[in-house]
Amino acid sequence: MREIITTPDPRLRQRSTKVSQITDETREIIADMVRLSLDWEKAHPFELSAAMAAPQMGVNQRIIIVRDDFDDKKNNSFTALINPEVIKTDGKVIKEHEGCLSVPEIYGLVGRPHKVKVKAMLEDGTEVRLKADGYLARTLMHEIDHLNGVLFIDHIKDDQDAFYRLDDKGDLQPVDYDTEIKDNTDLFPDE
């Protein structure tokens, strides 16, 4: 039974391998990712499971899933992208809050370009090129980072004002950088 792995698990820091052929095992990995995403969401009422990468469940393959509708939590459908690759980023770099299933309780203000072009394969083997902006672009870049062993916190680790945590009402509150982030080996094990 697969489960979501969290920091400081070293598997989150590995570069994933390309999927050479879409098989029944690939489809099983995708189904497990969707199941785990939705299970996680049920346990976190204030949060949306927008996407997930295979390394987040300890599978070292270049597979991500992205929710089809970010605005409707009742819509449980996801699209799988296999071997996704950023072709180009564009637009102004915008800082917005990001969270991660594999970085429990911590959110951060991450700067990312507003637009991205991605190439990938769908689950049926169809090659696609996607243009995205805003939240979808941010989500794609976040998940592709996972495939390269990069977590969102890596983009902000020295920014003392960039870390947040949800309070019991679901609102983001600043985290004390010196006591909770700076020397936290669960978040930054190589430090």
Side-chain angles (χ1 to χ4, degrees):
M1 191 70 150
R2 293 185 171 115
E3 61 185 20
I4 295 173
I5 62 174
T6 59
T7 55
D9 193 307
R11 294 174 289 177
L12 291 168
R13 299 303 189 160
Q14 295 175 346
R15 188 170 175 79
S16 299
T17 59
K18 273 189 139 180
V19 175
S20 57
Q21 186 176 7
I22 300 170
T23 63
D24 287 342
E25 180 187 3
T26 309
R27 287 182 273 281
E28 182 182 310
I29 290 167
I30 293 165
D32 283 351
M33 291 168 69
V34 171
R35 179 185 54 77
L36 286 172
S37 291
L38 295 174
D39 286 351
W40 180 91
E41 185 174 278
K42 286 176 191 166
H44 297 82
F46 296 118
E47 298 165 282
L48 174 78
S49 179
M52 184 179 179
Q56 292 180 265
M57 61 179 203
V59 175
N60 190 21
Q61 293 187 30
R62 297 185 78 79
I63 303 169
I64 67 172
I65 59 168
V66 179
R67 196 176 204 120
D68 292 337
D69 188 339
F70 297 136
D71 296 321
D72 183 3
K73 205 170 180 179
K74 293 177 184 167
N75 183 340
N76 293 332
S77 62
F78 288 77
T79 296
L81 298 175
I82 299 164
N83 300 328
E85 189 180 322
V86 172
I87 299 170
K88 181 181 178 184
T89 59
D90 197 17
K92 183 178 178 181
V93 172
I94 298 171
K95 281 189 174 185
E96 289 193 9
H97 291 101
E98 291 186 22
C100 182
L101 310 181
S102 293
V103 183
E105 300 181 18
I106 299 294
Y107 283 77
L109 270 176
V110 180
R112 295 196 190 265
H114 184 68
K115 298 178 183 180
V116 69
K117 288 182 185 177
V118 172
K119 70 176 183 177
M121 270 192 310
L122 298 177
E123 194 172 345
D124 66 5
T126 304
E127 291 190 17
V128 294
R129 291 183 182 259
L130 309 168
K131 289 181 182 179
D133 61 15
Y135 188 71
L136 178 57
R138 174 173 298 278
T139 301
L140 289 167
M141 287 183 273
H142 175 113
E143 298 309 324
I144 293 170
D145 271 356
H146 272 297
L147 303 179
N148 298 317
V150 176
L151 302 176
F152 80 90
I153 55 176
D154 299 334
H155 294 288
I156 58 173
K157 69 178 172 183
D158 296 323
D159 186 347
Q160 296 185 22
D161 298 323
F163 292 90
Y164 295 81
R165 175 175 279 126
L166 285 180
D167 64 18
D168 58 1
K169 294 177 182 151
D171 296 321
L172 289 170
Q173 300 298 329
V175 170
D176 186 305
Y177 180 83
D178 289 329
T179 60
E180 296 188 58
I181 304 296
K182 186 168 90 175
D183 298 320
N184 187 329
T185 57
D186 282 351
L187 294 177
F188 305 108
D190 297 325
E191 305 290 301

